[in-house]
Amino acid sequence: MTAEVLRSRLPARITIVEVAPRDGLQAENRILATEAKLHLLDRLADAGHTVIEATSFVSPEAVPQLADADELMRRLLPRQGVRYPVLVPNEKGLERALACGVREIAIFASASESYSRKNLNRSRDEVTLTHRAVVRRAKDEGLRVRGYLSMVIADPWDGPTPTTVAVDAGRRLLDLGCDELSLGDTIGVGTAGEISTLLGGYRGAGVPVERIGMHLHDTYGQALANALVAMTEGVMVFDASAGGIGGSPFAKMAGGNLATDDLLWMCRGLGIATGVDIETLAGTSRWLGEQLGRDLPAHVSRALAMSPEGPPPTGRRPS
Ligand code: MG
């Protein structure tokens, strides 16, 4: 395949949903102060992000890192052109979010039964009942709703997730009224062919690819390859976290999220617009690593830091 043929199969532009402040931080042991989180949100917006998942209105006991969700959202100043969705687990969480002026939420389901029970303490059917009430109320309030579907490739307890099961579970979220579906390879085991098969399943079920985003994890080093193949299948929305932080507090084998840093490098090399400045984002990742007291998994921010004269002349948009 020539470079021209490859490029012709890729989108001209993608949207990155930056998930470090929620999905990323919830897996971290060191709890950041609200002030530091507000600074992180500012820096991510400064880098050019237009969708930043800010926090989660789960119970403070379940995820102590995000116990300050109410204060954070009250103190977060609106910025022109930036959306700040939050995760909402149930009606109580939705009411808290609404009280803070939130305009966009995400709900969370599992394609597999075991993860549903371990992560959400309920069967998939019981979760759907909760979601029905949450989405109805959110829509009445005019909110945008995103549906996360985890374990779309495999589950550590149930094994491989059949494509039909993953597609049916995703369609259930869309039928409830979700505007967008984020398909999660939560434990990062999937490879390019499986991602392609999954997206083919959705296409076959008549789901427009414009309503699908990918949420990839890098446990087995496949996140970027999987993102690329998803792009060739028409996907234009990708969840990623600055520095590649993340995991799952409920599935210990899950590695970090696809790193925004690494995704930006690939996109720049391929001439895919993201609107996010790679140098600013890489600086933010390094700052975040200092705040968390550890080296973060992203490759690109580390490589750029070791390149004193600026980035080498690859990964640049072809002229
Ligand atoms: Mg994740």
Side-chain angles (χ1 to χ4, degrees), residues 93-117:
L94 176 59
E95 294 308 325
R96 282 171 60 200
L98 286 169
C100 299
V102 162
R103 298 305 304 153
E104 182 168 341
I105 62 162
I107 59 173
F108 193 91
S110 173
S112 66
E113 190 65 28
S114 288
Y115 192 63
S116 185
R117 290 182 184 277

Short mmCIF file of all heavy atoms in Angstrom, two decimals, residues 93-117:
data_model
loop_
_atom_site.label_atom_id
_atom_site.label_comp_id
_atom_site.label_asym_id
_atom_site.label_seq_id
_atom_site.Cartn_x
_atom_site.Cartn_y
_atom_site.Cartn_z
N GLY A 93 -26.13 10.18 41.18
CA GLY A 93 -24.97 10.85 40.58
C GLY A 93 -25.41 11.91 39.58
O GLY A 93 -24.81 12.99 39.49
N LEU A 94 -26.47 11.60 38.82
CA LEU A 94 -26.98 12.58 37.84
C LEU A 94 -27.49 13.83 38.55
O LEU A 94 -27.23 14.95 38.09
CB LEU A 94 -28.08 11.94 36.99
CG LEU A 94 -28.77 12.88 36.00
CD1 LEU A 94 -27.78 13.47 35.01
CD2 LEU A 94 -29.89 12.15 35.26
N GLU A 95 -28.20 13.66 39.64
CA GLU A 95 -28.72 14.83 40.37
C GLU A 95 -27.57 15.69 40.89
O GLU A 95 -27.62 16.92 40.82
CB GLU A 95 -29.64 14.40 41.52
CG GLU A 95 -30.94 13.72 41.07
CD GLU A 95 -31.73 14.53 40.04
OE1 GLU A 95 -31.74 15.77 40.11
OE2 GLU A 95 -32.33 13.91 39.14
N ARG A 96 -26.53 15.03 41.39
CA ARG A 96 -25.35 15.80 41.85
C ARG A 96 -24.74 16.57 40.68
O ARG A 96 -24.38 17.74 40.81
CB ARG A 96 -24.30 14.85 42.43
CG ARG A 96 -24.58 14.36 43.84
CD ARG A 96 -23.61 13.26 44.25
NE ARG A 96 -22.20 13.69 44.23
CZ ARG A 96 -21.16 12.84 44.17
NH1 ARG A 96 -21.35 11.53 44.11
NH2 ARG A 96 -19.93 13.31 44.16
N ALA A 97 -24.61 15.90 39.53
CA ALA A 97 -24.00 16.55 38.36
C ALA A 97 -24.84 17.73 37.89
O ALA A 97 -24.31 18.80 37.59
CB ALA A 97 -23.83 15.52 37.23
N LEU A 98 -26.16 17.54 37.87
CA LEU A 98 -27.04 18.63 37.43
C LEU A 98 -26.93 19.83 38.38
O LEU A 98 -26.92 20.98 37.93
CB LEU A 98 -28.50 18.13 37.38
CG LEU A 98 -28.85 17.22 36.20
CD1 LEU A 98 -30.22 16.58 36.41
CD2 LEU A 98 -28.80 17.98 34.88
N ALA A 99 -26.81 19.55 39.66
CA ALA A 99 -26.70 20.63 40.65
C ALA A 99 -25.43 21.45 40.45
O ALA A 99 -25.34 22.60 40.88
CB ALA A 99 -26.74 20.04 42.07
N CYS A 100 -24.44 20.83 39.78
CA CYS A 100 -23.17 21.54 39.52
C CYS A 100 -23.16 22.18 38.13
O CYS A 100 -22.12 22.67 37.69
CB CYS A 100 -22.00 20.57 39.64
SG CYS A 100 -21.84 19.85 41.27
N GLY A 101 -24.27 22.09 37.41
CA GLY A 101 -24.34 22.74 36.10
C GLY A 101 -23.76 21.93 34.95
O GLY A 101 -23.49 22.48 33.88
N VAL A 102 -23.56 20.63 35.16
CA VAL A 102 -23.00 19.79 34.10
C VAL A 102 -23.95 19.72 32.91
O VAL A 102 -25.17 19.65 33.08
CB VAL A 102 -22.73 18.37 34.68
CG1 VAL A 102 -22.57 17.33 33.59
CG2 VAL A 102 -21.51 18.40 35.59
N ARG A 103 -23.41 19.75 31.68
CA ARG A 103 -24.23 19.73 30.47
C ARG A 103 -24.07 18.45 29.65
O ARG A 103 -24.73 18.27 28.62
CB ARG A 103 -23.89 20.93 29.57
CG ARG A 103 -24.16 22.28 30.20
CD ARG A 103 -25.60 22.45 30.69
NE ARG A 103 -26.58 22.22 29.62
CZ ARG A 103 -27.81 21.80 29.82
NH1 ARG A 103 -28.23 21.55 31.05
NH2 ARG A 103 -28.63 21.63 28.80
N GLU A 104 -23.15 17.60 30.06
CA GLU A 104 -22.88 16.39 29.29
C GLU A 104 -22.44 15.28 30.23
O GLU A 104 -21.57 15.50 31.07
CB GLU A 104 -21.79 16.69 28.25
CG GLU A 104 -21.46 15.52 27.36
CD GLU A 104 -20.59 15.92 26.16
OE1 GLU A 104 -20.54 17.13 25.83
OE2 GLU A 104 -19.99 15.02 25.58
N ILE A 105 -23.05 14.10 30.07
CA ILE A 105 -22.69 12.98 30.95
C ILE A 105 -22.29 11.76 30.13
O ILE A 105 -22.55 11.68 28.93
CB ILE A 105 -23.84 12.59 31.90
CG1 ILE A 105 -25.07 12.11 31.10
CG2 ILE A 105 -24.20 13.74 32.84
CD1 ILE A 105 -26.07 11.31 31.93
N ALA A 106 -21.66 10.83 30.83
CA ALA A 106 -21.40 9.50 30.26
C ALA A 106 -21.91 8.46 31.24
O ALA A 106 -21.83 8.65 32.45
CB ALA A 106 -19.90 9.33 30.03
N ILE A 107 -22.47 7.39 30.68
CA ILE A 107 -22.89 6.26 31.51
C ILE A 107 -22.05 5.06 31.12
O ILE A 107 -21.38 5.07 30.08
CB ILE A 107 -24.40 5.95 31.35
CG1 ILE A 107 -24.74 5.63 29.89
CG2 ILE A 107 -25.23 7.13 31.86
CD1 ILE A 107 -26.18 5.16 29.69
N PHE A 108 -22.08 4.04 31.94
CA PHE A 108 -21.09 2.98 31.83
C PHE A 108 -21.76 1.61 31.91
O PHE A 108 -22.46 1.32 32.86
CB PHE A 108 -20.12 3.15 33.01
CG PHE A 108 -18.86 2.36 32.89
CD1 PHE A 108 -17.74 2.91 32.30
CD2 PHE A 108 -18.79 1.07 33.39
CE1 PHE A 108 -16.56 2.18 32.20
CE2 PHE A 108 -17.62 0.33 33.29
CZ PHE A 108 -16.50 0.90 32.70
N ALA A 109 -21.52 0.78 30.88
CA ALA A 109 -22.06 -0.59 30.89
C ALA A 109 -20.96 -1.56 30.49
O ALA A 109 -19.93 -1.16 29.96
CB ALA A 109 -23.22 -0.70 29.90
N SER A 110 -21.19 -2.82 30.75
CA SER A 110 -20.23 -3.84 30.37
C SER A 110 -20.87 -4.80 29.37
O SER A 110 -22.01 -5.19 29.52
CB SER A 110 -19.77 -4.63 31.60
OG SER A 110 -18.96 -5.72 31.21
N ALA A 111 -20.08 -5.16 28.35
CA ALA A 111 -20.57 -6.15 27.38
C ALA A 111 -20.59 -7.54 28.00
O ALA A 111 -21.33 -8.41 27.56
CB ALA A 111 -19.70 -6.13 26.12
N SER A 112 -19.79 -7.72 29.03
CA SER A 112 -19.70 -9.05 29.65
C SER A 112 -20.39 -9.05 31.01
O SER A 112 -20.45 -8.03 31.70
CB SER A 112 -18.22 -9.43 29.84
OG SER A 112 -17.63 -8.56 30.79
N GLU A 113 -20.90 -10.22 31.38
CA GLU A 113 -21.67 -10.34 32.62
C GLU A 113 -20.77 -10.23 33.86
O GLU A 113 -21.11 -9.53 34.83
CB GLU A 113 -22.43 -11.67 32.62
CG GLU A 113 -23.45 -11.81 33.72
CD GLU A 113 -24.62 -10.80 33.61
OE1 GLU A 113 -24.95 -10.37 32.50
OE2 GLU A 113 -25.17 -10.45 34.67
N SER A 114 -19.61 -10.87 33.84
CA SER A 114 -18.76 -10.89 35.04
C SER A 114 -18.28 -9.49 35.41
O SER A 114 -18.29 -9.09 36.57
CB SER A 114 -17.56 -11.81 34.85
OG SER A 114 -17.97 -13.14 34.87
N TYR A 115 -17.83 -8.74 34.40
CA TYR A 115 -17.33 -7.39 34.72
C TYR A 115 -18.46 -6.49 35.19
O TYR A 115 -18.26 -5.63 36.05
CB TYR A 115 -16.63 -6.79 33.49
CG TYR A 115 -15.84 -5.54 33.81
CD1 TYR A 115 -14.76 -5.57 34.68
CD2 TYR A 115 -16.18 -4.32 33.24
CE1 TYR A 115 -14.03 -4.42 34.98
CE2 TYR A 115 -15.46 -3.16 33.52
CZ TYR A 115 -14.39 -3.22 34.40
OH TYR A 115 -13.67 -2.08 34.69
N SER A 116 -19.64 -6.69 34.65
CA SER A 116 -20.79 -5.93 35.11
C SER A 116 -21.00 -6.17 36.61
O SER A 116 -21.17 -5.23 37.38
CB SER A 116 -22.04 -6.33 34.32
OG SER A 116 -23.13 -5.52 34.67
N ARG A 117 -20.92 -7.42 37.00
CA ARG A 117 -21.16 -7.75 38.42
C ARG A 117 -20.01 -7.27 39.30
O ARG A 117 -20.24 -6.79 40.41
CB ARG A 117 -21.37 -9.25 38.58
CG ARG A 117 -22.70 -9.70 37.97
CD ARG A 117 -22.96 -11.19 38.17
NE ARG A 117 -24.20 -11.59 37.49
CZ ARG A 117 -25.42 -11.45 38.01
NH1 ARG A 117 -25.56 -10.93 39.22
NH2 ARG A 117 -26.48 -11.82 37.33
#
